[in-house]
Amino acid sequence: MGMADGFQVRIGRREILLGAAATTLAVVAYPSLRQVGSYPPVDRPFTSLSPKEVAVYRAVGDFLLPPGGPLPGHGGDDVTLAGIDGFFAALPPHQARVVGALPHLIEHGSALDRYGARCMTALSPERQVEYLTAWATAELVLEAQLWSAVKVVFTFGYFDRADVLEAMGVGSMCRGQP
């Protein structure tokens, strides 16, 4: 148990066992989760992302970085998705497979039965926000770690954009330019 800035973390035997069980289930279920659902075709070509993954990342991106914020673009726009696609394309294949399970776990997460759907993208916008808020505030260690990984994906997809870096005033510093 630790304490940092008023945030308390408790990891007990139950959380560790549930996390291990959920990880095992995710690894076993991933090949079939990739095939579940039908999604509209994508207008622009992506190297690594399927139409399903684009739909999921678009919804999650708009939740994390909504349109109309102080920075250019938003988390679900084509430029951000192209950055995420590039991030996946640059990963070694074994890492891409592991990280590639993220959108499928969010899309078909175990809490969806409480929301009356099998897929997150099939929910109404209000229910999507409620569902994604549950992910963002998860107390179960595995869910919190998965959500942190999703945020890392958006860090590479959104915060590495030249227009966003320029708007933040750090464009030349982060790109290695004088």
Side-chain angles (χ1 to χ4, degrees):
M1 182 166 73
M3 182 77 128
D5 298 327
F7 179 72
Q8 189 172 3
V9 178
R10 284 186 219 165
I11 301 175
R13 192 174 323 156
R14 177 177 170 231
E15 286 83 4
I16 291 171
L17 290 175
L18 285 172
T23 301
T24 302
L25 179 63
V27 168
V28 170
Y30 173 61
S32 55
L33 284 179
R34 286 190 346 217
Q35 309 304 322
V36 176
S38 65
Y39 300 86
V42 181
D43 293 340
R44 93 185 264 160
F46 290 104
T47 306
S48 302
L49 298 178
S50 70
K52 177 179 189 171
E53 293 162 339
V54 167
V56 173
Y57 279 129
R58 208 176 284 287
V60 173
D62 285 344
F63 173 78
L64 286 172
L65 302 156
L71 296 174
H74 56 89
D77 67 18
D78 286 343
V79 178
T80 300
L81 293 175
I84 291 171
D85 187 59
F87 167 71
F88 278 108
L91 288 175
H94 67 283
Q95 289 177 346
R97 273 193 308 277
V98 172
V99 180
L102 284 172
H104 303 280
L105 294 170
I106 299 291
E107 176 72 340
H108 303 291
S110 62
L112 280 170
D113 59 347
R114 291 182 240 148
Y115 297 92
R118 292 183 62 209
C119 300
M120 182 267 303
T121 56
L123 295 172
S124 69
E126 298 81 20
R127 298 296 273 175
Q128 278 185 12
V129 168
E130 193 178 328
Y131 174 70
L132 292 171
T133 299
W135 271 97
T137 58
E139 292 184 15
L140 188 63
V141 172
L142 176 67
E143 290 175 342
Q145 289 173 336
L146 290 171
W147 190 252
S148 292
V150 167
K151 292 191 300 186
V152 167
V153 168
F154 279 93
T155 298
F156 286 103
Y158 182 75
F159 290 103
D160 195 37
R161 292 171 49 160
D163 58 343
V164 172
L165 291 171
E166 285 301 321
M168 291 171 40
V170 294
S172 60
M173 282 191 321
C174 289
R175 297 243 177 235
Q177 301 167 357

